[in-house]
Amino acid sequence: MKKLLTAHYSLLTQKNLLAFSSGIDSTALFFLLLENNISFDIAIVDYNLREQSKEEVEYAKELAKKYDKKIYIKSVTLPSSNFEASARKIRYEFFEEIIKEKGYDTLFTAHQLDDKLEWFFMQFSKGAGTVELLGLQEKEQRDGYTIYRPLLNYTKEELLEYLHSKDIKYFIDESNTDTKYRRNYFRQKYTKEFLSEFKEGVKKSFAFLQNDFNALLKIEIIYQEKDLYILKNQKNDLLNIRAIDKIVKRLGVLLSQDAKEELLRQKNSVLSHKIAISITGDKIYIAPYVKTTMPKEFKEECRLKKIPPKIRGYICKEKIKLN
């Protein structure tokens, strides 16, 4: 595991932030990053649900001081209803705020193989396609930064063995065993036992699925400037939606199932009042949605070049020249 990250040399010169919790996974990743000479700082969220969370934050502070890392801490109290979704939203808003203000390039998260398989089972149980089933990707481009998940091929048990072999302190969040949370239900009932028996087969299957997924989701970008993307219309709803989904994630918006269905019906859509998408002819246009006053000459030029109306505002604002 020590050589886990050495192939990713670009990380040596980037400014990296680690999403930390003092748990097994993020503590293992903390020390693996150290071993591989990857510079990073840490960010931790205290949800104030457990007494132990205060100790976890103190441990994070100790590690930051000992290894000369900057540490960012957020303390919040969330309603018990829909806690997991609310916690995730708060967590990523916090990380993205730090990334934007402090100029980080990469966000490391410590998701591992158990998480990937849990997600697979959860999606499989309710009906899903390849993108939804695979879920967590090793690298994911977001608006202004990259999420990197280097532990996806390692089980929690393997990370535990690593921590024990180094005599490294870590914490166990007791709420992770509470099966009222759907993720924990799948973990306790299916994932742990399945991986204990079929770990190597699961790793191989995910590798095969990833190769198939990469071949399926090969996006053909005809033109890009700033946040304007023009893709090739593949004349296939599934392939088009997969490509659009990947691009809008880069722009910081998630494409819900309802939004996908609406887009396929209307061929034109504005997501979250932020991102305009138009499927027209042999092209797909994606750009931030901008309302602005446009000169008559510009509007006529767009009409002649068949630029969709919802896309024109961004092109005008950014003074993008299209051939």
Side-chain angles (χ1 to χ4, degrees):
M1 293 181 70
K2 186 175 180 179
K3 301 299 182 183
L4 181 65
L5 303 167
T6 50
H8 302 276
Y9 297 112
S10 63
L11 296 171
L12 292 170
T13 57
Q14 290 183 350
K15 194 172 181 182
N16 307 305
L17 182 68
L18 169 63
F20 193 70
S21 69
S22 296
I24 294 168
D25 308 333
S26 65
T27 302
L29 184 51
F30 183 102
F31 284 92
L32 284 166
L33 290 170
L34 287 178
E35 288 182 6
N36 286 273
N37 298 313
I38 305 295
S39 65
F40 65 97
D41 297 313
I42 63 176
I44 185 169
V45 178
D46 181 3
Y47 299 105
N48 293 290
L49 283 179
R50 300 166 291 112
E51 286 298 321
Q52 183 179 285
S53 69
K54 304 304 177 190
E55 297 176 40
E56 293 163 357
V57 171
E58 287 304 311
Y59 181 51
K61 288 180 181 178
E62 290 171 19
L63 291 178
K65 183 177 181 180
K66 181 176 180 179
Y67 294 102
D68 194 25
K69 306 295 179 187
K70 293 178 182 176
I71 182 170
Y72 306 94
I73 303 168
K74 187 177 184 68
S75 178
V76 296
T77 302
L78 299 175
S80 57
S81 60
N82 204 22
F83 173 80
E84 283 191 306
S86 299
R88 185 184 188 282
K89 183 175 183 294
I90 289 290
R91 185 164 62 246
Y92 276 89
E93 285 177 352
F94 176 50
F95 297 152
E96 289 176 355
E97 178 183 322
I98 297 167
I99 288 166
K100 184 176 181 180
E101 289 184 1
K102 306 298 182 181
Y104 288 95
D105 304 297
T106 301
L107 175 67
F108 282 110
T109 71
H111 295 97
Q112 28 73 10
L113 188 62
D114 297 55
D115 297 317
K116 193 172 180 70
L117 186 59
E118 284 159 20
W119 177 265
F120 182 94
F121 283 148
M122 288 168 64
Q123 300 305 309
F124 192 70
S125 71
K126 63 183 182 182
T130 308
V131 172
E132 291 79 15
L133 288 171
L134 285 180
L136 300 171
Q137 299 290 302
E138 183 181 53
K139 290 182 71 175
E140 182 180 329
Q141 192 65 42
R142 293 289 180 92
D143 186 17
Y145 71 100
T146 302
I147 294 180
Y148 185 46
R149 306 178 180 97
L151 300 181
L152 288 179
N153 202 42
Y154 294 87
T155 65
K156 185 177 286 290
E157 191 62 34
E158 288 172 319
L159 297 177
L160 262 174
E161 289 173 6
Y162 166 77
L163 292 172
H164 291 162
S165 72
K166 302 285 185 177
D167 195 25
I168 295 171
K169 177 182 175 181
Y170 60 87
F171 287 82
I172 294 178
D173 182 348
E174 293 179 356
S175 68
N176 286 336
T177 62
D178 188 346
T179 55
K180 74 178 181 183
Y181 298 119
R182 193 161 183 264
R183 175 174 51 87
N184 293 343
Y185 170 81
F186 277 87
R187 175 181 301 163
Q188 299 300 325
K189 194 168 180 66
Y190 302 108
T191 308
K192 289 175 66 175
E193 187 172 343
F194 197 87
L195 277 176
S196 69
E197 189 168 353
F198 303 112
K199 176 179 67 177
E200 294 306 320
V202 170
K203 289 182 179 182
K204 289 178 183 177
S205 292
F206 274 130
F208 291 140
L209 285 169
Q210 190 65 51
N211 287 336
D212 291 343
F213 172 78
N214 291 341
L216 176 67
L217 200 57
K218 191 173 183 180
I219 301 174
E220 187 171 341
I221 299 177
I222 299 172
Y223 181 88
Q224 180 191 353
E225 185 168 343
K226 297 183 179 179
D227 287 337
L228 168 68
Y229 291 83
I230 303 177
L231 315 180
K232 180 181 179 181
N233 184 346
Q234 301 181 71
K235 309 297 184 181
N236 179 295
D237 286 349
L238 176 62
L239 296 180
N240 283 342
I241 283 295
R242 298 312 189 210
I244 291 168
D245 185 53
K246 191 166 185 178
I247 296 299
V248 299
K249 278 183 180 178
R250 293 184 189 181
L251 300 177
V253 175
L254 297 178
L255 192 62
S256 69
Q257 186 59 41
D258 287 344
K260 292 174 186 177
E261 293 172 0
E262 180 68 17
L263 177 59
L264 291 176
R265 281 196 302 270
Q266 302 293 334
K267 307 300 182 185
N268 286 280
S269 184
V270 177
L271 302 178
S272 304
H273 307 288
K274 293 180 180 179
I275 305 298
I277 304 169
S278 294
I279 304 173
T280 175
D282 59 353
K283 297 174 182 175
I284 300 172
Y285 293 80
I286 305 173
Y289 182 57
V290 174
K291 287 185 176 181
T292 187
T293 302
M294 293 174 276
K296 289 182 179 180
E297 296 82 3
F298 175 80
K299 289 194 282 188
E300 178 61 15
E301 182 185 2
C302 286
R303 187 187 69 79
L304 293 173
K305 291 180 177 178
K306 299 182 179 178
I307 306 297
K310 287 184 171 63
I311 302 295
R312 296 174 187 175
Y314 180 75
I315 295 174
C316 181
K317 174 177 176 289
E318 297 296 327
K319 297 180 173 59
I320 295 173
K321 299 294 184 183
L322 295 177
N323 296 328

